[in-house]
């Protein structure tokens, strides 16, 4: 059977480029994949069907940065990535193909790893409070005697290793390769005497956990928080980007980490006015049931909420009992996930974010009748118990009230402190309330995403950014209800399945989702692996084995890198700052068994072969759902083919665009691929849906569930978007046992055409038979097959 004829690209006019995108493609622009490299794939992106390229941050960043989220200078495009000339060439190439550009913007923090690279930070260190840029950074000058504490020394004694170096621009303090400015008139004397006169104090890096006096991004000392709420700071940090927007080079914006801002609503209001209301999404992680504040001038989020909805509907809830039993067996006792999260978050408040908590205590000051110790403990318990990333008072006040009540019930000994804190933390716009909001987000991120997700290995598919590991799957009806809400409230929000920050790629999760249907077989395999290759940290071993199976085959180097990161993030048997070499050696030996132990390697190969066909079915299903559900679909670079990546930096490996062009050309010649190793079937789904969305946006203007009848009805997700009907298979293992039988989609009578295979099907009084519809692929994209209607998207 030949596939349908593919219509050509429909270039966007300048006005349409500034509309809501119909589809985006995320590009990680680096020194190894430059702006010119991005320009070279503009034609491919147009052929794929997106309306906009969507790049990682492009402003000048720290030397060697592979991600761009450590901006050091907002006035320039990063030169190693191609500079302004390279940016202009990229924009010209996109416009030639009729594509727009969405730019990632980082307003919350600035890179300061090398002060000499960051002019503003250098000036603050040189001039202190009198610096022209002092207001840009969130520094508590009164704490620390008017000096910024910079945690770079290997120990307090290393102050003796400082040197004064004379340069053309004046003297500098040096600590090995670290350079620091010297205030005018303070450069005479010993290096230690010079240091004592500066507006900064170089301190032991271990002090970062308890007594820094500048706000950081999470607990990263080399990312200093910016005060974007200051109009002058906003103007200076956004001038170049807004000029690019005004000039037509940038058509949409992605805002990184708005939760770090003092006033996200005020920021978005100012940005919308300055950018002329361009399409803007925010990297906001919503907890289940949480919505963006309705007052925010943003189209929606970057899509982690959509990711969770798709993942959940493809997970078999029937596997929960067996997976939980295995987890209990591995852990030695049932795991109380809520308590695990609370403990993990307390480790963060009492550890790496201790400086932020201490500053909050200083801002609040004395509480009448409450000891400092009780006040600190109450704040830590509130932060550890907060159910969402943060409030935006008055929005979200109910979360604060509920958390105070919950902590009071659990810790009656803190009642007085909680009663005193509650009104202080409820005052919208006050410094205390704002700093509490800015602190609760990092506590959640570090305690949950970067700790608890690596400590609870029941079923790692669910341990994803924006997910809820305690919720094991959802019904089709729950999925439909979520999409109705999305269509009504945030129809221009981004949807995604993979990002540069996901814990594992979409295809890795899709393969691992099969474990819920084969929980017994998985348990048998895991028991053998844990017995033959014991590791003292059994839950970590279970987590690593799941991820290796999900990404298999992968190189030994990739597997080692993942296992090391997972172990250090979990922080139970080894950590980033206190490496247990004996444990990590044992961990590497366990991983090596997957390659060197003949029995183990064979068992893994057999099991991966067992689950791969169902995993690919899940991959195609989730991609079809994500691309067709209400919202603006994003495709992360390379994931238009199978991509079994793990957490960064594994998910930022080079992409073979020549192979993707070759396969796309075959599809456009009419080939309908099988679901094979090439991944062409996924490319078919991606390209045909994206082209349909770009060329026929009217087909995607509504949302109505489509029901099915018959024995396989529970294995289908289908809905009518207003002109096109996506049909996706779910729970493929169970389906393979019974088959479709006489299952039928309840569609209006008449002829239907599948935009993926070109197949034509008829719906009669009994519906449209599913067995014939999904004979070639486990997914379909149906439109009415009316005589004389040209195929629009494929």
């Amino acid at each position: 059977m030949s596939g349908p004829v593919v219509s050509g690209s429909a270039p966007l006019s300048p006005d349409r480029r500034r509309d809501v995108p119909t589809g985006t493609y995320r590009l990680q622009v680096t020194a190894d994949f430059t702006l010119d490299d991005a320009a070279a794939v503009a034609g491919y992106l147009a052929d794929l069907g997106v309306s906009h390229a969507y790049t990682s941050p492009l402003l000048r960043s720290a030397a060697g940065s592979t991600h761009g989220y450590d901006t050091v200078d907002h006035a320039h495009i990063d030169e190693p990535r191609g500079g302004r000339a390279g940016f202009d060439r990229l924009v010209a190439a996109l416009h030639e193909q009729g594509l727009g550009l969405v730019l990632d913007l980082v307003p919350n923090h600035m890179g300061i790893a090398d002060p000499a690279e960051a002019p503003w930070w250098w000036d603050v260190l040189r001039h202190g409070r009198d610096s022209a840029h002092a207001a840009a950074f969130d520094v508590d000058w009164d704490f620390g005697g008017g000096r910024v504490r910079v945690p770079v020394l290997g120990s307090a004694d290393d102050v003796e290793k400082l040197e004064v170096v004379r340069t053309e621009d004046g003297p500098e303090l040096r600590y090995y390769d670290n350079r620091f400015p010297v205030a005018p008139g303070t450069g005479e004397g010993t290096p230690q005497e010079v240091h004592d006169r500066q507006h900064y104090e170089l301190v032991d890096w271990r002090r970062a956990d308890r007594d820094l006096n500048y706000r950081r991004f999470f607990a990263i000392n080399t990312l200093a928080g910016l005060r974007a709420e200051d109009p002058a700071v906003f103007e200076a940090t956004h001038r170049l980007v807004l000029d690019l927007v005004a000039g037509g080079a940038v058509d949409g914006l992605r805002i990184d980490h708005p939760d770090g801002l003092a006033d996200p609503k005020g920021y978005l209001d100012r940005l919308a006015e300055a950018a002329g209301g361009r399409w803007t999404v925010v990297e906001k992680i919503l907890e289940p049931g949480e919505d963006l504040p309705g007052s925010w001038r943003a189209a929606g989020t970057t899509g982690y909420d959509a990711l969770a909805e798709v993942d959940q509907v493809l997970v078999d809830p029937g596997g929960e009992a067996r997976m939980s039993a295995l987890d209990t067996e591995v852990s030695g006792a049932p795991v109380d996930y809520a308590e695990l999260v609370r403990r993990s978050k307390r480790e963060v408040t009492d550890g790496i974010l201790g400086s932020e908590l201490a500053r909050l205590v200083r801002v609040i000051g004395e509480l009448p009748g409450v000891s400092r110790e009780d006040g600190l403990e109450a704040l830590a318990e509130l932060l550890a118990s907060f159910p969402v990333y943060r409030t935006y008072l008055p929005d979200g006040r109910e979360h604060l009230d509920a958390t105070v009540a919950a902590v009071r019930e659990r810790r009656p000994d803190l009642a007085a402190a909680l009663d005193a804190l509650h009104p202080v933390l409820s005052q919208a716009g006050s410094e205390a309330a704002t700093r509490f909001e800015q602190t609760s987000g990092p506590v959640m991120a570090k305690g949950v995403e970067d700790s608890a997700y690596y400590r609870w290995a029941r079923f790692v598919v669910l341990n994803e950014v924006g997910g809820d590991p305690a919720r094991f799957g959802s019904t089709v009806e729950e999925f439909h209800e979520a999409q109705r809400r999305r269509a009504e409230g945030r129809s221009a929000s981004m949807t995604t399945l993979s990002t540069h920050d996901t814990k594992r790629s979409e295809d890795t999760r899709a393969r691992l989702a099969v474990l819920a249907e084969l929980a017994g077989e998985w348990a048998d395999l895991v028991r053998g692996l844990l017995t033959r290759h014991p590791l003292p940290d059994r839950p970590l071993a279970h987590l690593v084995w799941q991820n290796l199976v999900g990404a298999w085959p992968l190189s030994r180097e990739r597997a080692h890198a993942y296992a090391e990161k997972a172990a250090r993030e979990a922080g139970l048997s080894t950590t980033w700052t206190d490496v247990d070499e004996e444990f990590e050696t044992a961990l590497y030996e366990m991983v090596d068994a997957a390659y060197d132990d003949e029995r183990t390697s064979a068992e893994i190969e057999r099991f991966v072969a067992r689950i791969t066909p169902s995993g690919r079915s899940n991959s195609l299903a989730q991609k079809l759902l994500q691309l067709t559900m209400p919202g603006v679909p994003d495709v992360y670079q390379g994931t238009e083919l199978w991509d079994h990546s793990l957490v960064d930096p594994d998910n930022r490996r080079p992409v073979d665009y020549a192979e993707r062009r070759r396969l796309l050309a075959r599809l456009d010649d009419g080939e309908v691929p099988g679901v094979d190793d090439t991944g062409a079937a996924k490319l078919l789904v991606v390209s045909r849906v994206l082209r349909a969305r770009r060329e026929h946006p009217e087909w995607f203007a509504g949302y109505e569930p489509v029901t099915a009848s018959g024995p396989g009805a529970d294995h289908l997700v289908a809905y009518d978007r207003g002109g096109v009907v996506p049909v996706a298979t779910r729970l493929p293992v169970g389906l393979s046992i019974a088959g479709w039988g006489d299952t039928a989609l309840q569609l209006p009578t008449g002829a239907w055409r599948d935009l993926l295979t070109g197949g034509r099907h008829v719906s009669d009084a009994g519906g449209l038979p599913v067995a014939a519809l999904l004979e070639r692929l486990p997914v379909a994209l149906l439109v009415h097959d009316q005589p004389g209607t040209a195929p629009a998207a494929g």
Side-chain angles (χ1 to χ4, degrees), residues 452-733:
Y453 278 6
Y454 290 93
R455 295 177 177 181
W456 197 34
R458 179 179 71 159
F459 187 48
V460 300
V461 174
L462 306 177
N463 297 21
E464 192 52 82
V465 182
D468 179 6
R471 186 186 182 201
F472 204 104
S474 70
T475 66
V476 174
E477 290 71 23
E478 288 170 329
F479 176 82
H480 287 319
E481 182 55 35
Q483 302 324 304
R484 287 193 189 96
R485 292 194 300 269
R486 185 175 295 278
E488 293 169 0
R490 293 287 179 182
S491 61
S493 185
M494 182 176 277
T495 70
T496 192
L497 288 179
S498 298
T499 77
H500 60 286
D501 276 337
T502 42
K503 301 301 182 185
R504 51 201 62 79
S505 70
E506 57 202 59
D507 294 323
T508 300
R509 298 196 311 275
R511 178 189 287 175
L512 289 175
V514 181
L515 302 188
E517 294 194 80
L518 297 173
E521 293 182 35
W522 172 247
D524 291 341
L525 175 62
V526 168
R527 290 188 187 102
L529 294 173
L530 296 180
T531 300
R532 293 197 303 276
H533 313 294
L535 191 73
D537 189 337
R538 284 165 57 86
L540 177 68
H542 188 199
L543 179 137
V544 170
W545 285 121
Q546 284 184 72
N547 282 280
L548 293 188
V549 165
W552 197 266
L554 74 168
S555 70
R556 190 187 305 255
E557 292 73 22
R558 288 176 59 202
H560 273 209
Y562 174 77
E564 177 185 285
K565 178 167 184 172
R568 293 180 181 180
E569 293 283 61
L572 295 177
S573 300
T574 186
T575 70
W576 292 107
T577 57
D578 188 12
V579 173
D580 186 323
E581 294 184 0
E582 182 179 354
F583 174 82
E584 293 195 359
T585 297
L587 177 64
Y588 300 144
E589 290 174 352
M590 185 193 82
V591 171
D592 285 338
Y595 302 88
D596 301 333
D597 183 280
E598 185 174 340
R599 178 180 175 183
T600 295
S601 179
E603 287 184 355
I604 290 175
E605 292 280 0
R606 282 196 297 271
F607 190 79
V608 170
R610 166 90 163 99
I611 65 175
T612 289
S614 294
R616 288 175 175 170
S617 176
N618 284 339
S619 287
L620 297 179
Q622 68 181 6
K623 203 64 193 173
L624 181 72
L625 297 180
Q626 179 247 332
L627 294 174
T628 60
M629 66 198 292
V632 175
D634 177 57
V635 176
Y636 182 71
Q637 61 175 33
T639 60
E640 61 270 36
L641 297 184
W642 308 134
D643 178 76
H644 292 276
S645 295
L646 298 171
V647 72
D648 69 279
D650 194 61
N651 58 11
R652 303 177 191 182
R653 289 170 292 133
V655 176
D656 185 348
Y657 284 107
E659 173 67 2
R660 284 157 176 77
R661 286 191 182 95
R662 185 184 69 82
L663 289 175
L664 186 59
R666 284 170 46 185
L667 299 179
D668 289 347
D669 284 341
E671 178 181 332
V672 178
V675 186
D676 56 23
D677 291 348
T678 67
K682 188 178 183 188
L683 182 62
L684 178 72
V685 171
V686 172
S687 60
R688 275 42 184 173
V689 177
L690 288 176
R691 292 175 182 181
R693 294 199 72 138
R694 186 178 63 192
E695 298 169 21
H696 288 282
E698 73 277 6
W699 286 358
F700 298 86
Y703 189 91
E704 287 295 333
V706 172
T707 60
S709 60
D714 195 44
H715 293 277
L716 281 174
V717 185
Y719 43 87
D720 186 346
R721 286 301 321 276
V724 64
V725 177
V727 183
T729 300
R730 65 188 291 264
L731 313 185
V733 175

Side-chain angles (χ1 to χ4, degrees), residues 4-75:
V5 178
V6 179
S7 61
S9 172
L12 300 180
S13 67
D15 288 339
R16 283 195 62 199
R17 284 199 303 268
R18 295 191 171 191
D19 289 342
V20 175
T22 62
T24 62
Y25 189 97
R26 170 73 176 204
L27 293 167
Q28 295 293 117
V29 181
T30 68
D32 296 320
F33 184 83
T34 66
L35 289 161
D36 283 312
D37 294 322
V41 301
Y44 166 73
L45 298 186
D47 290 342
L48 190 64
V50 300
S51 64
H52 291 69
Y54 157 40
T55 68
S56 55
L58 298 180
L59 301 186
R60 184 182 290 167
S61 56
S65 174
T66 59
H67 49 75
Y69 290 97
D70 45 6
T71 305
V72 296
D73 186 340
H74 293 81

Side-chain angles (χ1 to χ4, degrees), residues 184-251:
T186 67
E188 300 302 322
T190 67
Q192 294 70 37
E193 290 170 338
V194 172
H195 172 255
D196 288 344
R197 300 186 192 109
Q198 300 313 306
H199 297 286
Y200 55 88
E201 178 187 6
L202 305 183
V203 300
D204 185 338
W205 64 270
R206 296 168 186 83
R207 292 178 62 182
D209 286 359
R210 64 181 186 272
D211 57 8
L212 287 195
N213 59 348
Y214 64 91
R215 182 172 60 85
R216 305 165 290 171
F217 171 70
F218 294 175
I220 303 175
N221 301 331
T222 55
L223 295 176
L226 288 171
R227 298 184 60 253
E229 67 272 19
D230 184 317
V233 175
F234 176 93
E235 195 280 331
T237 55
H238 290 69
R239 184 181 301 125
L240 173 58
V241 169
L242 291 173
D243 284 348
L244 297 175
V245 170
V250 171
D251 306 290

